[in-house]
Amino acid sequence: MENAFERIYAVVRQIPRGKVSTYGMVAQLAGNPRWARVVGYALHSNPEPGVIPCHRVVDRFGRPAPGFAFGGEGRQRALLEAEGVSFREDGCVDMERCLWNGLREGEMP
DNA sequence: GGCGTGACTTATA
DNA sequence: ATATAAGCCACGC
């Protein structure tokens, strides 16, 4: 946790399976709500594929970046669906059910 | 070492 | 309602 990237990776890495988070949310959890851009760049860099679930991070609309997905637009939906994430008909994630609050399961106050 | 860009977000015109 | 502007950090040249 020395730079924004480290914090961002730490947050994204802690996203529980079957849930998703947004850039702004990760940024806020990382410490600064304006790191959304850095979060995007951090995932774009994806220094540790397989360890950092980039597909669990979506934009504010619950949708991946248009045309910039890690492997394809439909790829994300498949991965998230495989984890148990609910999707809407428009292809957006069901934020109401699968949006990660930043609290790990079993760590609720 | 400086400048520009980028997977975002929020606010204003 | 859409479009534009500003703000943050890291990387590439």
Side-chain angles (χ1 to χ4, degrees):
Chain A
M1 300 252 203
E2 294 170 349
N3 20 356
F5 264 49
E6 295 297 317
R7 291 187 173 186
I8 291 163
Y9 295 143
V11 173
V12 176
R13 205 182 308 160
Q14 280 159 41
I15 298 174
R17 171 175 156 285
K19 303 227 164 169
V20 297
S21 187
T22 66
Y23 295 96
M25 190 68 64
V26 172
Q28 193 169 358
L29 294 170
N32 286 353
R34 298 177 183 78
W35 282 357
R37 234 167 188 180
V38 187
V39 174
Y41 202 87
L43 299 177
H44 171 66
S45 182
N46 198 11
E48 304 188 69
V51 180
I52 300 175
C54 319
H55 56 273
R56 287 186 197 151
V57 183
V58 294
D59 63 12
R60 213 180 132 315
F61 297 95
R63 211 171 146 165
F68 267 95
F70 37 95
E73 299 178 32
R75 187 69 178 163
Q76 173 149 39
R77 180 175 168 168
L79 290 166
L80 293 176
E81 276 189 331
E83 295 190 347
V85 177
S86 303
F87 269 78
R88 289 181 102 179
E89 294 182 2
D90 7 8
C92 302
V93 177
D94 192 346
M95 316 287 272
E96 302 287 311
R97 287 197 178 283
C98 301
L99 178 60
W100 183 46
N101 322 324
L103 302 171
R104 294 168 70 185
E105 296 180 359
E107 260 193 40
M108 291 232 333

